């Protein structure tokens, strides 16, 4: 079995980590070997603190290269990272081909501000943070045109979103 890469993308607070955790647990319960990669943890480990375009590209390409280096050890590799630039997601799509499944966690800004799981939107509103993608950053979230799984986390339950993802990935 070739490793499948499940790439969760979307704005901060949209549900990437929550859904990736549930999908990972469900797959592990079915006895699959699963590797989870969290964008925040990966960024800290590689000491990339900036959120400018070149740093985001560098971080995302580092994740893609890491996934490529470990893909033969796992049935599923689950990546959870904002990855706002379609350029890097298209690169992953071309690299992993039919084994790449992009999950766009769609959520409206009002709900993201309401959830504010990390307190980032509050800090952005107070201008403590000036680079929150999708809110006050010069970098916009770019939607890619290739086939992807879209979950509306402001409308769907976690269970419904997880089931939708699981049905598509195998």
């Amino acid at each position: 079995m070739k490793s499948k890469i499940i790439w969760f993308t979307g704005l901060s607070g949209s549900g990437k980590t929550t859904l990736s955790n549930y999908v990972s647990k469900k797959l592990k319960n079915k006895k699959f070997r699963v590797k989870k990669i969290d964008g925040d943890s990966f960024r800290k480990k590689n000491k990339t603190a900036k959120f400018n375009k070149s740093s985001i590209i560098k971080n995302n390409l580092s994740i893609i290269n890491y996934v490529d280096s470990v893909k033969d050890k796992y049935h599923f590799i689950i990546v959870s990272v904002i990855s706002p630039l379609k350029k890097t997601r298209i690169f992953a799509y071309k690299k992993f081909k039919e084994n790449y499944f992009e999950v766009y966690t769609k959520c409206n800004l009002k709900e993201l501000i309401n959830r504010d799981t990390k307190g980032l939107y509050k800090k952005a509103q107070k201008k403590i943070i000036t680079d929150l993608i999708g809110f006050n950053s010069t970098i916009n979230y770019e939607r890619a045109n290739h086939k992807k799984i879209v979950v509306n986390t402001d409308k769907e339950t976690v269970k419904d979103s997880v089931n939708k993802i699981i049905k598509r990935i195998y």
Side-chain angles (χ1 to χ4, degrees):
M1 175 182 178
K2 275 196 166 190
S3 183
K4 293 183 180 182
I5 291 73
I6 317 305
W7 191 282
F8 285 83
T9 177
L11 297 178
S12 182
S14 63
K16 296 178 303 296
T17 300
T18 299
L19 292 175
S20 66
N21 286 339
Y22 277 98
V23 168
S24 175
K25 186 176 179 181
K26 208 163 192 170
L27 292 170
K28 284 179 180 179
N29 286 342
K30 293 179 182 286
K31 307 297 183 212
F32 288 111
R33 288 186 316 275
V34 179
K35 173 76 174 169
K36 260 189 94 284
I37 300 168
D38 178 75
D40 290 338
S41 299
F42 198 89
R43 180 178 285 280
K44 285 176 190 167
K45 191 169 79 174
N46 290 314
K47 298 178 175 93
T48 310
K50 295 179 182 174
F51 285 94
N52 59 40
K53 207 172 229 180
S54 64
S55 293
I56 290 169
I57 291 169
K58 183 179 176 186
N59 186 61
N60 286 198
L61 292 177
S62 293
I63 292 171
I64 292 165
N65 288 330
Y66 176 72
V67 167
D68 194 37
S69 73
V70 300
K71 71 179 186 292
D72 295 333
K73 297 176 184 175
Y74 301 96
H75 295 113
F76 291 92
I77 299 175
I78 298 173
V79 178
S80 175
V81 61
I82 293 172
S83 53
L85 306 171
K86 67 180 173 182
K87 172 183 182 174
T88 56
R89 296 190 320 273
I90 289 169
F91 180 75
Y93 175 71
K94 287 179 178 178
K95 184 171 206 66
F96 303 117
K97 299 179 178 53
E98 71 276 355
N99 296 314
Y100 175 83
F101 297 83
E102 189 169 298
V103 179
Y104 173 52
T105 55
K106 183 178 179 181
C107 187
N108 70 56
L109 187 59
K110 184 179 176 183
E111 180 60 24
L112 293 174
I113 292 168
N114 185 46
R115 288 179 189 173
D116 206 6
T117 52
K118 298 176 187 173
L120 298 176
Y121 291 95
K122 186 181 277 187
K123 287 179 182 176
Q125 287 172 323
K126 293 179 180 179
K127 301 198 183 342
I128 297 168
I129 295 175
T130 58
D131 57 2
L132 184 58
I133 296 165
F135 186 79
N136 65 350
S137 174
T138 56
I139 299 168
N140 293 316
Y141 184 89
E142 302 171 350
R143 293 197 182 128
N145 297 328
H146 58 265
K147 189 172 151 184
K148 60 194 149 297
I149 303 164
V150 178
V151 289
N152 293 294
T153 63
D154 55 347
K155 295 179 178 143
E156 300 172 8
T157 66
V158 170
K159 183 179 179 182
D160 288 343
S161 293
V162 169
N163 287 336
K164 182 191 285 187
I165 294 162
I166 292 291
K167 280 182 188 174
R168 289 279 302 277
I169 62 176
Y170 72 84

